[in-house]
Amino acid sequence: MNPFDLLKNSQAIKEQSEKLQHELEDLRAEGSSGGRMVTVTLNGKFEMVGIKLDPICVDNRDVQMLEDLIIAAHKAACDNVQELIKTKSASLLGGMDLGALGL
């Protein structure tokens, strides 16, 4: 898409961008680790809105493993949110690659 076309349509893009921001609040993505022993749910703003722990991984003798599993599940959820945002915003930007812009 021609960058000058974006400038011509800036108001429409602004409105679509505001709509996307509201949709991000309702967006949900999960990430899990340890064979789904830990599952983290994030919204589209990367806020953690849920965590599920398999009782088998709650062992006070191995807290370090549980901490590592939570971090890994959170990372997976972040990656999934990024993919969902990329998909949703592609229509807004007419297929422009945000990576090329450093975003």
Side-chain angles (χ1 to χ4, degrees):
M1 174 178 251
N2 183 340
F4 294 109
D5 289 339
L6 287 175
L7 293 175
K8 291 178 189 176
N9 298 316
S10 63
Q11 182 61 33
I13 291 172
K14 180 181 177 188
E15 290 171 3
Q16 289 177 337
S17 176
E18 290 171 356
K19 180 182 174 191
L20 179 61
Q21 288 296 318
H22 291 294
E23 289 177 3
L24 291 178
E25 294 174 9
D26 296 327
L27 188 73
R28 296 290 185 268
E30 288 186 348
S32 64
S33 64
R36 299 194 62 83
M37 288 194 322
V38 174
T39 301
V40 169
T41 304
L42 301 180
N43 67 15
K45 293 185 175 188
F46 297 91
E47 299 166 336
M48 191 181 302
V49 294
I51 187 167
K52 295 178 189 170
L53 303 175
D54 184 321
I56 198 167
C57 69
V58 183
D59 181 351
N60 64 358
R61 295 169 294 170
D62 201 358
V63 173
Q64 180 65 46
M65 180 195 71
L66 180 56
E67 292 169 346
D68 291 344
L69 289 172
I70 291 170
I71 290 169
H74 184 267
K75 166 87 172 80
C78 285
D79 292 344
N80 292 336
V81 169
Q82 287 176 334
E83 281 301 312
L84 288 171
I85 290 172
K86 189 176 182 181
T87 300
K88 282 196 165 285
S89 64
S91 63
L92 173 67
L93 299 173
M96 185 186 300
D97 181 15
L98 293 177
L101 299 174
L103 302 173

